[in-house]
Amino acid sequence: MRRTTVLAAAATTAVLALLTGCRGDDASTGAGGAFDPAEAVAKAGKEPYAVTVEASRAPDGGAEPALLTARQNLNTVFTGRWQGKEPDGTLREGVTTADAEYLRGHDATGTWLKAPRSTEVSDFDYGDYAKLLLAQGPSARKGMETRDGVPTYHLAGHLDVAQFADAAPSVHRALTRTGATSLDLDQWIDAQGRTRHVDETVVVDGEKIAITLAFSDFGPAETFAAPSPVAD
């Protein structure tokens, strides 16, 4: 049981490492906040930052989704805290610090289980997705749209998993392990090159999986301390 739980914690952290955005200096904007998405992505900075991520994952077609809310640091050593709810109602929490991972919800005690940091944690961000979409040319540029009151540029297209081999090796490895070969992606970025929203559909073992990600509350990097009590 303990080994199974540790592996589950590591897998969850690997997912969180992929749920990221970009942060950078303002790109040039025009009337109504319009901007060039290629310029915004190119100028996106790499300074450490914190972001809140709300995510859902479910078979495409309306089934009950798995839900995840996370606050995490990116562009630095990956750390963060998350809460998740499985379709069956199971609740789990996790914390990733600079030197360990912690999970609770594995049993009824309410204590935290400590595990080594997953080797799957990466510095990947959705800016790599945006670059691949922009490389497809005008067909990927869907135009300016407002999301949550923020001017954003909508990018969309079909990507083969093989395209990630050089652009984002960690994503390529993760998708390849699932058996996925391609995905359809809608992505909204702001003038700072930050990803604000993603709708993604990927086919795994013949089943379409719909993933939705919303990014908000961008700010300075934060400290995430080890929780307590921790089980021996």
Side-chain angles (χ1 to χ4, degrees):
M1 178 66 71
R2 181 180 176 87
R3 177 175 172 79
T4 301
T5 305
V6 169
L7 292 175
T12 303
T13 301
V15 172
L16 285 176
L18 303 183
L19 306 185
T20 71
C22 306
R23 185 164 186 229
D25 299 328
D26 289 353
S28 299
T29 57
F35 61 90
D36 180 353
E39 181 183 350
V41 171
K43 289 186 175 181
K46 292 300 181 182
E47 69 274 19
Y49 69 98
V51 64
T52 295
V53 185
E54 295 183 32
S56 67
R57 182 182 188 277
D60 193 24
E64 189 71 19
L67 302 174
L68 181 76
T69 299
R71 183 69 177 171
Q72 58 192 76
N73 288 328
L74 281 306
N75 286 347
T76 184
V77 175
F78 175 84
T79 55
R81 185 182 188 112
W82 59 268
Q83 293 179 319
K85 182 180 180 181
E86 300 294 333
D88 63 3
T90 300
L91 300 176
R92 298 186 188 277
E93 294 180 83
V95 177
T96 301
T97 66
D99 57 3
E101 296 179 20
Y102 302 85
L103 177 74
R104 88 172 158 185
H106 57 286
D107 58 27
T109 66
T111 57
W112 292 89
L113 179 67
K114 182 178 180 179
R117 279 178 60 92
S118 171
T119 58
E120 291 297 325
V121 174
S122 73
D123 60 359
F124 166 78
D125 65 49
Y126 266 95
D128 294 315
Y129 278 57
K131 291 174 184 176
L132 291 174
L133 289 175
L134 286 165
Q136 295 183 349
S139 64
R141 297 185 177 223
K142 306 305 179 182
M144 293 293 301
E145 298 178 14
T146 299
R147 293 205 69 108
D148 301 322
V150 177
T152 61
Y153 200 99
H154 181 187
L155 300 170
H158 180 83
L159 298 174
D160 291 327
V161 170
Q163 292 178 260
F164 292 95
D166 294 325
S170 61
V171 179
H172 182 260
R173 290 192 297 271
L175 291 174
T176 299
R177 280 196 299 272
T178 70
T181 58
S182 64
L183 55 90
D184 293 299
L185 185 73
D186 285 82
Q187 179 176 7
W188 289 260
I189 63 172
D190 65 18
Q192 290 76 46
R194 301 177 297 198
T195 298
R196 290 281 182 166
H197 193 92
V198 169
D199 289 330
E200 181 179 340
T201 302
V202 60
V203 178
V204 179
D205 294 331
E207 180 180 43
K208 284 187 175 182
I209 304 296
I211 300 170
T212 297
L213 308 168
F215 305 88
S216 62
D217 299 327
F218 294 84
E222 301 172 8
T223 299
F224 295 93
S228 62
V230 177
D232 296 330

